[in-house]
Amino acid sequence: MRISSCTAAAFMLLLAQGVTVKAAEVKLLSASAMEAVVSELGSQFERTTGHKLTVRYDVAGILKRQIDAGETFDVVILTPPLIDDLVKQGKIATGTRTAIASSGMGVVVRGRA
């Protein structure tokens, strides 16, 4: 999988939000669909910043339920509707949402001859 420089830059900015100057452990909760990207960019983030990245992957809906139940995190990667709900609940700071990826879906139906 090739990661665009724009995605890499957005990922680094996302992780850097709210991280203090001294080395810190950054707890990231991420939807499983982002595992390949986070694995590649996470190691780059650690080398560049000196911060340790602790990542837990799961299905987006399960992570959302765990956050609703009090799970703590520094950064979370979920779908926009789930992020919006967490912002409304005050569990994510307003104005910190950053889009780092998008996906599309296509459907094709073969015509009858």
Side-chain angles (χ1 to χ4, degrees):
M1 175 186 302
R2 187 177 176 144
I3 300 170
S4 74
S5 60
C6 183
T7 300
F11 182 79
M12 293 292 199
L13 286 172
L14 173 74
L15 289 175
Q17 290 182 16
V19 176
T20 59
V21 175
K22 64 181 182 176
E25 182 173 330
V26 179
K27 184 176 179 182
L28 169 65
L29 303 179
S30 177
S32 299
M34 294 297 293
E35 188 169 355
V37 173
V38 171
S39 292
E40 183 173 331
L41 295 178
S43 61
Q44 291 176 29
F45 171 79
E46 288 180 328
R47 280 192 308 275
T48 303
T49 66
H51 300 307
K52 176 167 176 27
L53 189 61
T54 302
V55 184
R56 189 163 54 90
Y57 301 100
D58 212 325
V59 177
I62 291 173
L63 290 174
K64 168 69 167 62
R65 284 194 297 273
Q66 291 171 344
I67 292 167
D68 287 340
E71 178 77 23
T72 61
F73 61 92
D74 298 303
V75 178
V76 64
I77 300 175
L78 296 173
T79 61
L82 296 179
I83 294 287
D84 291 342
D85 188 50
L86 291 168
V87 168
K88 287 177 189 172
Q89 293 178 40
K91 294 185 179 196
I92 294 178
T94 304
T96 61
R97 178 178 160 186
T98 303
I100 61 169
S102 64
S103 65
M105 182 184 299
V107 177
V108 178
V109 178
R110 190 171 93 180
R112 295 183 185 194

